[in-house]
Amino acid sequence: MHEIVGNATFVAELLGPLSPFVDVAAVFLPLLGAALATLAGGLWGLPRNDRAAQTLTCLAMVASALASALIFADIAVEGGAARTHVLAPWIQVGALQSFWTLRLDALSSVMLMVVTGVSAMVHLYALGYMRHDRGIPRFMAYLSLFTFGMLMLVTADDLIQLFFGWEAVGVCSYLLIGFWYEKPRASAAAVKAFVVNRIGDFGFILGIFGCFALFRSVAFGSLFSAAPDLESATYALGGLDVPVLTVLCLLLFVGAMGKSAQLGLHVWLPDAMEGPTPVSALIHAATMVTAGVFMVARLSPLFEHAPGALAVVTVVGALTALFAGVVALAQTDIKRVIAYSTMSQLGYMFFAAGVAAYPAAIFHLMTHAFFKALLFLGAGAVIHALAGEQDLRRMGGLARKTPVTYVLMAIGSLALAGIGVPGVFGFAGFYSKDVILEAALAQGSGVGVFAYGVGVLVAGLTALYIGRLFVLTFHGKPRTDEAVFAHAHEASWVMLVPLVPLALGAVFAGFWGEASFVGEGRAAFWAGSLVTGGAGDPLSATHHLAPIWTLLPVAAGVGGLVVAFVVYGLFPRFPGWVAAHLGRVYVGVANAFCVDALYDAMFVRPLRALGMFCRETGDDRWIDGYGPPALARVALRWGQRVRTWQTGYIYHYVFAVVTGLVAALVFVWSTLSR
Amino acid sequence: MSSLPLLSLITFLPLAGALGLFAFVRGDDARARRVGIVRGLTLGTTLLTLAGSLALLPGFDPAAPGFQFVENVPWIPRLGLAYHRGVDGIGLAFLVLTAFLTPLSVLAGFSVKTRVKEFMIALLVLETLMLGTFSTLDLALFYVFFEGGLIPMFLMIGIWGGEGRRAAAFKFFLYTFAGSVLMLVAIIAMVAHTGTADMTQMTGGVFAGDLALVLWLAFFASFAVKTPLWPFHTWLPYAHVEAPTAGSMILAGVLLKMGGYGFIRISLQILPSASEVFAPLVIGLSVIAIIYGSLVALAQTDLKRLVAYSSVAHMGYVTLGIFSGTAQGLEGAMMVMLSHGLVSAALFACVGVVYDRVHTREIARFGGLASRVPRYAAVFMVFTLAAVGLPGLSGFVGEFLSLQGAYLYNPLVAALASLGVILGAVYMLGLYRRMFYGPLEKKDLMTLRDLTVREGVVFGALAVPTVWMGLFPAHFLAVFAPATDRLLNVSQTLAAGSIG
């Protein structure tokens, strides 16, 4: 079932015949952890043991991360052989053949490392963060189950298993957003997240159906090898010849838009902040929301042949980045600022993919996972320090109280803002964001230039909103209750230690990864697991850009930070003055352009009304009024005349039935023997 | 071939149990011991039936063409009627489903406190009739089994039902009976035409032209009501709301599948050319059923009605798949039926749990249950997710395949039908939220008891195949896929021949 060809790597020699077991363990240990935590939850008869649930899930998760590190070292670092383990058949009807599979190549090993690494840190962090919660086993079980779903997603070898992982992480996200289910806002947010994602899934499954109809297969390998020949295939749609692959890729992209909260299907992500902060860090920043980006990268051999779809991906990504960047500026909830920031950064990843710079998209996915998880967990430490306070307007001056958190958040903010000195050193986001912008410009298409322009603007906005968050949280005078502020304290070491590896990643991941992810070594690094030299080969073309274009984004970032510090640090009244004078515009931005209200009026209410209409008018008035029941009523009116026969005693009915039966038999018999 | 008439033994075992109860158990409900004996005997009988039906599996060869465990005894030779029994993979799948669900319904039926003996007799008689339906190859006999099930179900709703039981029972009876009259006429015509009631001799496309179309419509009337297909569905919510829990489980779990089974066994297999002609009609109605059923479910305030309408939507996937004319669609329809058999039975059992405790089905009367009854909440969540078609649970496989088949038939149809995937999440998760999330405020809910061991057994037994079917559907597909493939090949050849 599994093959080892190519380089005999150090890891491969170290593990020898154990290698397949390590591969399987990396993916399935979190599932085991989840199962054990469920048992420890005391729901099914065993005594409840919170400590056991925590220990077992964390051990399983750390072990999974170690196994993933080995796989990553083997495949991505040392260039070991990609491999596919077929575990069992899943859905198989005719040509539709889906297997439970672990596909391990450079792309999935990068994702494996990111997912298990961040997940392990979040598991450990949750030991401290959730210490006083009543539902610890449930929480740990969901967290581990989520990780398993994510791993199944990234190791899928066909569209249907990809969809399995997709839905598995979706349902875990639902369960975790609604973890504090007694809060009505949390449960509403949970349902909203699931339903909005389902709207995306609607596109996704239609894309799968269409792929099967076109390719007669759902396996990635078959799709990729057949795609070039089908580039010119078209659907006749209302007199127009629409390229099939573009339609299918757009349908699949609708799924990605839902999962990755792109403009239009983004409304669930800010509300998802009702979930516990470790959940926000793991699911709604570092991993699940990036699944859409992963999908496009994984299917890059397909998207390559759908130029129309790529253009849409670029534009949607750029607009999302801008929209979220603007909205983030006016949020007062610390977690919502970071949530919109995530949405904005996902926009960057998508337009990277849209301009066919898939490696850059995954590079930013990786660096973003580090610094965004760091920012979220840091925000969790802040919230913890202030006894649950999440409103930026009631923070301030925390730098003295929580110096470690301050430093960690500073690192995360600098990485997000993309600060660095070109040619010397920069924080992680510096490398990954710059390469995206350069690729967009270098690709030379109209949408590429548009994306570049928007991207530079958003780079400035990013620095501005994260600078604002940072200043409002840590600098200035404390605006919270004196009692709360007096008790503000640094988080315990169990919450701070997991932040250290994330901070290291936020500092060094870009510097360390640039050459192999997006630089000269990229073709060897990715080894065909995604398209490295896509249409126009934008990553190679970046070398021909004039230096001014490569300096502009970092200048915007520095400028944004400076403005933030000046405005929010030196003139704390100025923002309030701006908000007051912008009036409705400000309110609109703060309410994310009222998309929620719009959807409520456009979809939610009409749907409810339609439901009531079908129920009251459709069923009760029309079908029951004029349909079969009306005929029955006519019959019943006739029946009234013989009503006296209906006594309500079962014996009478049985008697009547038996008599009738006997009469019928006698009749049949007599006709036969005639 | 086995010398023992296995199918007959399995089929009539419950009837024998019913006769035993009728003849030997005396006294009234006031005597706890007598109630215990009645329940024990019924449960034992149904478990023995289950064992018997499972014992068929090792001896069954899915790859072998035709029917197996055949018994063929002349009954009325002059009319070509015979006691002709046998199963292929399709029939066997439903046979096992029936035998599996009945003991669980009996367990759920322990909450019936009045006329316990008569209730159990009705349940046992019903089981015999259902088992017979899925394993009969003679049309006349099929009619007897198919329509016979009406009577015990009618009595279960009418006697052990809720407050509006009478109206509901009559609505149920009139609807299904109206359909069945037309079916009876069609069967008589078929027997007159061919001189035999043997289904296996009618599969060669013996009916053609207008005759086939008329026959098809007559059968359609019966199956469309049974399934139920929009707009013949309005009896279902009434019947479900009033039926006792055990009755609802059987009704949703097995009786509705008789419609789908009939569509496959008779419409598709005996009247393939007419099925081809009418496929657009059925597919149109199926799409309406999915969307409309979901919308109405969305507008429900009664827990049981909501689940009932979700059945209407799910059955839409069944007819959609069957008439898509593709292997994916047909096998998907089978998987939807098996999955829905488990999941809807479980959901109705879930409704029964709270109804037994607080005697209301009004969704607004609940709220915040998760903190009070975590086990019940967990169980309800599992089956809710199965109902919304979460991959990894049973609902997904069938829905996915059925929609894939619809896409191959016509992408636009699939696009419309796939809206059900969104709407399903809206009404099921909305229901879950209203019942389980939020603060626990109602006084009478604060003392609510979590699942008992008996209830736990029912849900555990239903959860195992729900997960199994979701993760390893191949084990289930293997039983019936060869039969559906053959059926599809034959019917497509015939349909192509009759047109070309």
Side-chain angles (χ1 to χ4, degrees):
Chain A
M1 290 291 187
H2 99 287
E3 35 171 331
I4 290 194
V5 278
N7 309 356
T9 64
F10 173 71
V11 176
E13 277 174 20
L14 177 76
L15 295 176
L18 286 177
S19 166
F21 295 102
V22 172
D23 295 350
V24 170
V27 175
F28 283 91
L29 277 173
L31 179 65
L32 179 69
L36 293 174
T38 311
L39 286 178
L43 206 54
W44 315 106
L46 289 171
R48 174 168 161 162
N49 189 333
D50 287 4
R51 182 55 66 89
Q54 291 171 322
T55 314
L56 293 168
T57 44
C58 286
L59 280 178
M61 203 50 245
V62 169
S64 162
L66 291 176
S68 300
L70 286 173
I71 297 167
F72 180 77
D74 180 19
I75 297 178
V77 179
E78 293 194 277
R83 46 193 179 259
T84 302
H85 303 286
V86 178
L87 303 176
W90 189 24
I91 300 178
Q92 296 174 320
V93 176
L96 188 90
Q97 297 281 320
S98 175
F99 292 88
W100 293 114
T101 306
L102 302 184
R103 176 192 175 113
L104 296 167
D105 56 13
L107 178 57
S108 50
S109 64
V110 168
M111 293 301 292
L112 217 58
M113 194 64 251
V114 169
V115 171
T116 58
V118 177
S119 180
M121 293 308 121
V122 168
H123 270 73
L124 296 174
Y125 180 91
L127 295 181
Y129 194 86
M130 303 296 285
R131 185 166 39 190
H132 302 298
D133 201 272
R134 287 190 298 136
I136 287 173
R138 190 163 58 93
F139 185 78
M140 300 310 282
Y142 289 167
L143 219 49
S144 287
L145 187 64
F146 164 81
T147 310
F148 169 70
M150 197 66 208
L151 295 177
M152 288 301 277
L153 192 162
V154 299
T155 57
D157 194 36
D158 64 41
L159 288 170
I160 308 185
Q161 187 184 324
L162 182 66
F163 190 69
F164 167 83
W166 198 263
E167 292 290 283
V169 294
V171 80
C172 291
S173 161
Y174 157 80
L175 291 168
L176 283 164
I177 294 169
F179 181 75
W180 288 317
Y181 52 80
E182 288 175 350
K183 278 167 49 188
R185 281 159 58 108
S187 63
V191 175
K192 183 175 177 183
F194 197 88
V195 169
V196 174
N197 269 291
R198 270 281 160 127
I199 296 171
D201 296 345
F202 168 76
F204 191 170
I205 55 166
L206 284 175
I208 298 178
F209 298 150
C211 281
F212 177 71
L214 182 66
F215 296 98
R216 290 289 150 174
S217 173
V218 287
F220 290 153
S222 320
L223 265 57
F224 298 164
S225 59
D229 300 330
L230 290 163
E231 186 165 351
S232 52
T234 54
Y235 284 130
L237 215 71
L240 287 171
D241 282 340
V242 189
V244 178
L245 283 179
T246 294
V247 172
L248 296 182
C249 285
L250 283 176
L251 286 170
L252 294 168
F253 177 61
V254 171
M257 285 176 67
K259 194 77 32 199
S260 297
Q262 293 300 286
L263 196 58
L265 293 179
H266 65 282
V267 289
W268 65 272
L269 184 59
D271 288 14
M273 297 301 118
E274 293 293 337
T277 303
V279 172
S280 312
L282 176 61
I283 302 184
H284 305 119
T287 58
M288 183 188 82
V289 288
T290 65
V293 181
F294 167 78
M295 182 227 258
V296 177
R298 173 54 94 202
L299 299 179
S300 53
L302 216 56
F303 276 80
E304 263 312 285
H305 300 283
L310 283 179
V312 173
V313 173
T314 311
V315 173
V316 168
L319 291 179
T320 304
L322 181 61
F323 173 92
V326 171
V327 172
L329 277 175
Q331 298 304 306
T332 52
D333 182 314
I334 185 169
K335 285 182 70 181
R336 281 188 167 243
V337 175
I338 309 179
Y340 278 109
S341 162
T342 302
M343 185 179 153
S344 178
Q345 298 301 307
L346 290 166
Y348 274 110
M349 296 176 210
F350 274 111
F351 78 65
V355 297
Y358 311 102
I362 299 296
F363 186 38
H364 196 53
L365 187 161
M366 189 264 295
T367 61
H368 175 258
F370 282 115
F371 61 71
K372 193 50 71 67
L374 175 64
L375 282 172
F376 256 126
L377 295 181
V382 168
I383 295 166
H384 210 72
L386 293 175
E389 183 60 70
Q390 294 188 199
D391 195 329
L392 288 171
R393 291 167 300 189
R394 287 194 289 275
M395 292 186 179
L398 266 184
R400 282 176 289 146
K401 290 280 194 175
T402 58
V404 181
T405 308
Y406 175 75
V407 172
L408 292 167
M409 286 288 275
I411 292 171
S413 303
L414 289 169
L416 172 62
I419 302 302
V421 181
V424 183
F425 180 79
F427 289 90
F430 165 75
Y431 295 95
S432 55
K433 192 183 294 178
D434 270 17
V435 74
I436 288 175
L437 292 170
E438 289 168 19
L441 188 63
Q443 194 229 18
S445 66
V447 288
V449 174
F450 167 73
Y452 174 82
V454 171
V456 171
L457 176 61
V458 176
L461 291 175
T462 305
L464 186 56
Y465 67 67
I466 198 64
R468 167 178 174 262
L469 180 146
F470 192 75
V471 173
L472 289 181
T473 307
F474 292 108
H475 292 278
K477 286 180 191 149
R479 295 179 299 278
T480 180
D481 295 345
E482 273 179 37
V484 172
F485 190 76
H487 278 98
H489 56 284
E490 192 71 84
S492 62
W493 64 269
V494 72
M495 280 169 67
L496 290 177
V497 168
L499 300 191
V500 174
L502 296 175
L504 290 175
V507 177
F508 296 108
F511 179 73
W512 162 80
E514 190 192 20
S516 38
F517 274 70
V518 292
E520 297 304 329
R522 64 179 184 277
F525 178 80
W526 295 109
S529 59
L530 48 65
V531 176
T532 46
D537 198 4
L539 288 175
S540 300
T542 53
H543 300 300
H544 310 302
L545 291 176
I548 173 79
W549 305 119
T550 61
L551 287 173
L552 213 50
V554 70
V558 173
L561 276 188
V562 170
V563 171
F565 270 83
V566 170
V567 168
Y568 293 96
L570 300 180
F571 304 102
R573 292 203 183 150
F574 182 68
W577 182 84
V578 172
H581 281 76
L582 281 174
R584 280 192 170 177
V585 177
Y586 177 80
V587 173
V589 173
N591 286 309
F593 296 98
C594 306
V595 178
D596 272 322
L598 185 74
Y599 283 0
D600 193 52
M602 272 172 63
F603 302 115
V604 180
R605 282 159 199 267
L607 201 65
R608 287 228 184 86
L610 196 59
M612 280 315 281
F613 174 83
C614 288
R615 178 186 160 182
E616 292 176 346
T617 308
D619 262 21
D620 294 351
R621 197 172 308 159
W622 289 349
I623 296 178
D624 279 358
Y626 305 108
L631 297 177
R633 266 197 299 282
V634 175
L636 265 184
R637 212 165 302 139
W638 285 87
Q640 301 287 344
R641 303 182 182 183
V642 290
R643 189 180 190 168
T644 43
W645 299 355
Q646 293 176 4
T647 56
Y649 289 109
I650 182 174
Y651 311 102
H652 293 192
Y653 291 114
V654 171
F655 177 74
V657 168
V658 171
T659 315
L661 212 62
V662 169
L665 283 178
V666 168
F667 172 74
V668 169
W669 221 254
S670 59
T671 29
L672 282 178
S673 49
R674 222 186 308 155
Chain B
M1 208 172 82
S2 169
S3 55
L4 270 176
L6 286 173
L7 284 178
S8 295
L9 285 175
I10 295 165
T11 308
F12 292 108
L13 188 62
L15 187 66
L19 289 175
L21 284 183
F22 182 73
F24 298 117
V25 181
R26 308 237 165 259
D28 55 35
D29 290 339
R31 291 175 50 203
R33 197 163 146 251
R34 183 250 193 190
V35 171
I37 290 173
V38 168
R39 288 173 177 170
L41 275 177
T42 314
L43 191 61
T45 310
T46 52
L47 285 176
L48 206 58
T49 312
L50 172 62
S53 73
L54 290 177
L56 290 178
L57 288 172
F60 179 78
D61 176 12
F67 293 87
Q68 298 175 45
F69 308 109
V70 172
E71 302 161 26
N72 196 349
V73 183
W75 178 25
I76 309 175
R78 282 275 300 272
L79 290 179
L81 307 189
Y83 179 80
H84 191 180
R85 309 284 309 278
V87 287
D88 59 358
I90 303 167
L92 186 63
F94 288 113
L95 192 83
V96 175
L97 176 71
T98 308
F100 179 74
L101 282 181
T102 312
L104 300 177
S105 307
V106 171
L107 274 178
F110 280 12
S111 57
V112 168
K113 305 286 184 217
T114 56
R115 304 199 202 185
V116 177
K117 184 175 94 172
E118 288 78 1
F119 182 81
M120 293 301 177
I121 289 175
L123 210 53
L124 287 168
V125 171
L126 185 57
E127 184 178 21
T128 287
L129 296 168
M130 294 186 297
L131 293 170
T133 305
F134 296 126
S135 57
T136 293
L137 301 175
D138 182 275
L139 268 182
L141 197 60
F142 174 81
Y143 181 80
V144 171
F145 281 128
F146 187 91
E147 293 306 334
L150 195 55
I151 297 163
M153 196 68 225
F154 170 75
L155 294 174
M156 275 168 84
I157 298 172
I159 296 172
W160 292 276
E163 281 156 20
R165 58 182 180 269
R166 283 223 156 176
F170 278 107
K171 198 169 186 180
F172 166 72
F173 191 88
L174 284 173
Y175 251 98
T176 31
F177 195 69
S180 83
V181 169
L182 292 172
M183 179 162 90
L184 180 62
V185 175
I187 289 177
I188 292 171
M190 288 165 94
V191 174
H193 184 79
T194 55
T196 175
D198 190 341
M199 285 192 219
T200 57
Q201 294 182 33
M202 295 181 183
T203 50
V206 292
F207 306 102
D210 291 347
L211 176 64
L213 298 183
V214 172
L215 290 175
W216 190 95
L217 283 173
F219 279 106
F220 173 76
S222 180
F223 300 149
V225 168
K226 207 76 157 191
T227 304
L229 200 54
W230 186 90
F232 308 102
H233 65 281
T234 55
W235 62 270
L236 184 73
Y238 289 91
H240 267 311
V241 164
E242 301 303 338
T245 300
S248 283
M249 288 171 71
I250 291 287
L251 182 59
V254 184
L255 285 186
L256 302 190
K257 275 76 209 174
M258 287 187 179
Y261 177 76
F263 275 128
I264 294 175
R265 180 63 78 225
I266 293 179
S267 306
L268 216 56
Q269 189 164 340
I270 301 183
L271 305 164
S273 56
S275 293
E276 181 109 349
V277 171
F278 287 114
L281 169 77
V282 182
I283 284 181
L285 294 180
S286 307
V287 171
I288 296 176
I290 293 170
I291 298 174
Y292 185 100
S294 304
L295 284 172
V296 181
L298 202 59
Q300 292 307 321
T301 53
D302 181 303
L303 177 55
K304 218 170 176 184
R305 284 183 84 92
L306 193 153
V307 180
Y309 273 102
S310 84
S311 284
V312 175
H314 278 104
M315 287 299 109
Y317 293 114
V318 172
T319 41
L320 185 69
I322 292 175
F323 286 91
S324 72
T326 62
Q328 285 78 22
L330 184 54
E331 290 178 37
M334 286 293 297
M335 287 301 284
V336 174
M337 283 196 269
L338 296 180
S339 162
H340 182 260
L342 301 169
V343 174
S344 66
L347 287 174
F348 280 117
C350 281
V351 177
V353 167
V354 282
Y355 188 74
D356 286 346
R357 287 162 173 67
V358 287
H359 305 288
T360 181
R361 294 179 305 260
E362 198 63 32
I363 299 168
R365 283 278 293 103
F366 299 103
L369 289 184
S371 55
R372 173 68 207 172
V373 282
R375 251 177 249 177
Y376 178 59
V379 161
F380 205 114
M381 175 54 79
V382 168
F383 291 107
T384 296
L385 293 177
V388 301
L390 187 80
L393 298 174
S394 61
F396 171 71
V397 182
E399 260 178 52
F400 179 84
L401 288 173
S402 164
L403 287 170
Q404 175 71 71
Y407 190 98
L408 296 172
Y409 176 82
N410 182 334
L412 188 64
V413 165
L416 288 173
S418 298
L419 289 173
V421 172
I422 303 173
L423 294 173
V426 176
Y427 66 75
M428 282 313 290
L429 294 184
L431 167 72
Y432 194 87
R433 181 185 158 208
R434 284 186 280 169
M435 282 189 67
F436 290 92
Y437 290 165
L440 183 70
E441 281 162 345
K442 312 268 188 322
K443 266 233 172 76
D444 55 341
L445 300 180
M446 291 179 185
T447 53
L448 204 65
R449 225 163 11 100
D450 209 342
L451 296 183
T452 63
V453 172
R454 170 175 65 87
E455 290 160 340
V457 168
V458 172
F459 291 118
L462 288 166
V464 169
T466 302
V467 176
W468 185 7
M469 204 182 278
L471 295 178
F472 304 104
H475 300 165
F476 298 82
L477 287 165
V479 174
F480 59 78
T484 52
D485 284 348
R486 271 195 304 275
L487 197 156
L488 210 59
N489 286 335
V490 171
S491 68
Q492 275 172 350
T493 323
L494 286 173
S498 76
I499 290 167

